[in-house]
């Protein structure tokens, strides 16, 4: 896929990306991804079998990993040209992430988990506007009355909603979600995928979702196949 059609200027674009690493068994792993482009408001599903490099691609788009060949450009600037501190600031201010295992903090309640990015990154201000944004989003995802509930009292789907809300609370330009519908029943898979797409679009954020779930692919503006499915 060369890109997606969207109403805004390009936010993220790449040349052909190549990333290599040695696996535990010593066999070299190589990921090669054709050029792509995404605008704010656009959604892209990255499909492929386990181990094909979907999570690696998300890490390249976030700047957590750098390609061996090619480059990722965000708002016209190459991530490879940034210092480590600049890439950390880019992730804090421009990227929202939904992790495969959610990475919620059990000792914090729902609202505190959503506001966690503001406590972890000095580039973000935990002010009244941040609290208002968090409460607004929790209301949008149906958790407005559970903001002070502990994480261990939430269902799997509710925890997923908290993770999505946390990814959006900083108003990121780019949202990256790693297998957000894994281990869910079919109806909840569709619900969570629709929620993520709708909320990212409402926030005018570009969305990239790594998934092997064929049932949700039709909801996205574009699909990129890598690995064995390419």
């Amino acid at each position: 896929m060369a890109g997606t059609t969207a109403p805004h200027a390009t936010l993220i674009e790449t040349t052909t990306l190549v990333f290599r690493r040695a696996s535990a068994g010593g066999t070299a792993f190589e990921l090669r991804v054709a050029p792509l482009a995404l605008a704010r408001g656009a959604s892209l599903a990255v499909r492929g079998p386990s181990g094909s490099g979907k999570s690696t691609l998300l890490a390249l788009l976030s700047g957590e990993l750098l390609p061996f060949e090619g480059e990722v450009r965000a708002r016209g600037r190459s991530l490879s040209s940034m210092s480590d501190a600049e890439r950390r600031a880019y992730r804090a201010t421009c990227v929202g992430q939904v992790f495969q295992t959610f990475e919620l903090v059990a000792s914090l309640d729902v609202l505190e988990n959503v506001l966690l990015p503001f406590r972890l990154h000095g580039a973000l201000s935990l002010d009244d506007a941040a609290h208002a944004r968090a409460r607004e989003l929790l209301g949008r995802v149906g958790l407005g009355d559970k903001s002070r509930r502990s994480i261990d009292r939430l269902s799997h789907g509710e925890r997923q909603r908290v993770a999505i809300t946390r990814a959006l609370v900083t108003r990121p330009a780019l949202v990256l979600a790693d297998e957000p519908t894994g281990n869910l029943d079919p109806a909840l898979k569709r619900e969570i995928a629709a929620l993520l797409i709708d909320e990212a679009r409402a926030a005018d954020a570009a969305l990239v979702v790594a998934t092997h779930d064929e049932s949700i692919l039709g909801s996205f503006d574009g699909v990129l196949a890598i690995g064995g499915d390419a």
Side-chain angles (χ1 to χ4, degrees):
M1 173 184 161
T4 61
T5 301
H8 307 299
T10 299
L11 170 72
I12 293 286
E13 60 184 335
T14 77
T15 60
T16 298
L17 298 177
V18 178
F19 181 82
R20 302 184 185 94
R21 67 168 177 265
S23 70
T27 303
F29 164 85
E30 179 175 285
L31 172 67
R32 184 177 295 270
V33 182
L36 62 89
L38 274 176
R40 294 188 73 138
S43 61
L44 174 69
V46 181
R47 66 187 284 260
S50 297
S52 60
K54 300 187 297 297
S55 297
T56 298
L57 177 57
L58 297 191
L60 291 169
L61 295 178
S62 74
E64 293 179 39
L65 295 176
L66 296 177
F68 280 58
E69 298 175 22
E71 66 175 1
V72 177
R73 299 184 68 83
R75 294 173 170 170
R77 186 175 179 193
S78 171
L79 299 188
S80 297
S81 72
M82 296 180 184
S83 66
D84 288 343
E86 287 174 324
R87 281 192 294 274
R88 285 194 297 271
Y90 159 72
R91 284 192 293 276
T93 60
C94 296
V95 181
Q97 293 181 272
V98 182
F99 299 99
Q100 192 169 355
T101 55
F102 305 165
E103 297 193 16
L104 302 177
V105 181
S107 61
L108 302 179
D109 64 28
V110 168
L111 181 61
E112 291 167 336
N113 267 280
V114 171
L115 291 171
L116 192 58
F118 294 94
R119 299 188 185 280
L120 295 177
H121 303 294
L124 301 172
S125 299
L126 182 56
D127 52 18
D128 289 345
H131 279 85
R133 168 73 171 163
R135 293 185 183 280
E136 174 201 354
L137 285 172
L138 285 171
R140 287 178 61 92
V141 302
L143 294 176
D145 61 344
K146 298 180 179 179
S147 64
R148 289 305 182 185
R149 183 164 294 187
S150 62
I151 294 300
D152 61 6
R153 292 179 59 203
L154 299 181
S155 68
H156 188 91
E158 287 172 335
R159 294 182 190 191
Q160 184 64 280
R161 286 177 170 82
V162 176
I164 290 171
T165 302
R166 185 179 60 190
L168 294 168
V169 72
T170 60
R171 299 185 188 275
L174 174 66
V175 176
L176 304 174
D178 194 356
E179 298 285 1
T181 61
N183 301 314
L184 300 179
D185 63 66
L188 191 53
K189 284 181 179 183
R190 292 189 293 271
E191 180 182 335
I192 290 296
L195 174 68
L196 186 54
I197 292 169
D198 290 347
E199 292 301 321
R201 188 170 293 139
D204 199 29
L207 171 67
V208 182
V209 173
T211 184
H212 63 268
D213 188 348
E214 300 283 336
S215 69
I216 66 171
L217 296 179
S219 301
F220 293 84
D221 295 326
V223 178
L224 173 68
I226 63 175
D229 287 354

